[in-house]
């Protein structure tokens, strides 16, 4: 049974605080074990306040940035300067302010065609087991850029191109295989508009994977259920 391990908090701020605490702990454990940690960041708008919180001194000083390698669970195929670009969002809210070596930041090449960028990212991920993946949840049940009914759900590569029903359409995304082989998967889901879909995901997580229609319900890490950090407006609250 892969039930949702949901941590429900009274506000988005409280959910972010709990996830920031969990993340710094988990990053520290990975570093103690392997001397480094690979973290895949989520895109969209929800995690921006999480990244800003991690940039604050009480968390930033707890992370050995020189041993942290940053990836993205997905990227929109728009120029870095485009406000929709996920790398741009994480750079501005966190990475630009941290002493992280540039070589530790592994962005998707948005200048290439999506298929070529996806192949290159898959090659990079083939050599790099991901310790921690951060994910969000779309109102249609997508996560990363894995969309309901999309061919990307069947991909056996480590990363693949996909098409979003909402602009920007062109995407590169980690596949379910990559996400489910990560050591830790954390969802950050906030806002009343996500409550209904989060409940549907929870119901599907309780059932067999072959009956799932929502990509987020196919996130069933080999190491154990993903941890969900939600505010009261999200699942089952
Ligand atoms: C993306 C994200 C995507 C996101 C959800 C939720 O690139 O769009 O990776 O999976 O997490 O769409 O987005 P919001 O946080 O903006 O609601």
């Amino acid at each position: 049974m892969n039930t949702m391990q949901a941590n429900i908090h009274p506000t988005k701020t409280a959910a972010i605080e709990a996830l920031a605490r969990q993340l710094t702990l988990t990053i520290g454990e990975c570093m103690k074990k392997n001397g480094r940690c690979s973290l895949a960041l989520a895109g969209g708008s929800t995690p921006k306040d999480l990244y800003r919180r991690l940039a604050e001194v009480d968390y930033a000083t707890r992370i050995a940035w020189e041993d942290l390698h940053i990836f993205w669970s997905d990227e929109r195929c728009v120029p870095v300067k485009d406000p929709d670009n996920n790398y741009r969002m994480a750079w501005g809210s966190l990475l630009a302010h941290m002493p992280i070596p540039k070589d530790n930041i592994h962005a998707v090449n948005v200048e290439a065609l999506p298929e070529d960028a996806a192949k290159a990212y898959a090659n990079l991920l083939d050599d790099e087991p991901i310790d921690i993946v951060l994910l969000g949840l779309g109102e249609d049940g997508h996560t990363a850029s894995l969309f309901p009914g999309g061919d990307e759900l069947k991909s056996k590569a480590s990363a693949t191109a996909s098409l979003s029903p909402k602009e920007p359409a062109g995407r590169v995304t980690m596949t379910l295989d990559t996400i489910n082989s990560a050591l830790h998967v954390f969802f950050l889901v906030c806002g009343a508009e996500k409550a209904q879909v989060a409940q549907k995901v929870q119901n599907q997580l309780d059932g067999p994977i072959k009956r799932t229609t929502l990509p987020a319900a196919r996130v069933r890490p080999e190491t154990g259920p993903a941890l969900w950090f939600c505010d009261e407006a999200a699942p089952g609250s």
Side-chain angles (χ1 to χ4, degrees):
M1 189 73 84
N2 207 306
T3 51
M4 179 190 282
Q5 306 266 332
N7 305 277
I8 311 280
H9 299 274
T11 62
K12 176 177 177 182
T13 303
I16 281 174
E17 192 62 28
L19 180 48
R21 200 176 313 120
Q22 179 67 57
L23 253 183
T24 39
L25 265 175
T26 307
I27 290 169
E29 284 163 12
C30 290
M31 289 197 181
K32 213 160 144 195
K33 205 167 122 220
N34 310 322
R36 60 180 277 160
C37 177
S38 52
L39 166 64
L41 298 179
S45 54
T46 304
K48 191 168 187 173
D49 290 340
L50 168 67
Y51 302 156
R52 285 181 174 145
R53 183 69 184 93
L54 290 172
E56 291 175 1
V57 65
D58 53 334
Y59 280 114
T61 51
R62 289 191 224 167
I63 295 172
W65 295 93
E66 68 282 2
D67 296 326
L68 182 63
H69 284 256
I70 297 288
F71 297 80
W72 275 261
S73 46
D74 74 313
E75 183 55 277
R76 291 93 174 268
C77 298
V78 289
V80 167
K81 289 191 171 25
D82 187 309
D84 277 336
N85 181 280
N86 287 333
Y87 161 87
R88 179 181 187 273
M89 184 271 277
W91 176 257
S93 51
L94 174 61
L95 301 176
H97 318 292
M98 294 298 114
I100 183 167
K102 294 270 181 297
D103 288 350
N104 287 23
I105 300 176
H106 309 282
V108 172
N109 174 10
V110 292
E111 303 306 317
L113 289 170
E115 289 68 21
D116 298 340
K119 274 200 192 81
Y121 216 57
N123 291 340
L124 178 68
L125 293 169
D126 286 345
D127 300 334
E128 177 79 40
I130 298 295
D131 295 308
I132 307 167
V133 175
L134 287 181
L135 293 172
L137 177 66
E139 291 181 54
D140 61 355
H142 81 258
T143 192
S145 281
L146 300 162
F147 298 97
D151 290 342
E152 62 273 12
L153 296 169
K154 299 181 210 117
S155 172
K156 289 300 167 205
S158 302
T160 188
S162 66
L163 272 179
S164 166
K166 280 188 188 157
E167 287 301 323
R171 306 289 182 101
V172 169
T173 185
M174 280 184 176
T175 57
L176 285 166
D177 281 0
T178 301
I179 293 169
N180 286 330
S181 57
L183 293 180
H184 307 273
V185 178
F186 301 135
F187 277 91
L188 178 61
V189 181
C190 298
E193 71 283 6
K194 303 288 176 76
Q196 201 178 3
V197 67
Q199 187 59 61
K200 281 187 191 158
V201 171
Q202 181 164 343
N203 297 341
Q204 291 195 11
L205 274 173
D206 288 341
I209 197 158
K210 62 179 184 304
R211 277 225 234 109
T212 58
T213 55
L214 302 176
R218 295 195 185 176
V219 173
R220 303 185 183 211
E222 291 144 22
T223 53
L227 288 184
W228 289 62
F229 292 78
C230 312
D231 65 0
E232 262 175 340
S237 52

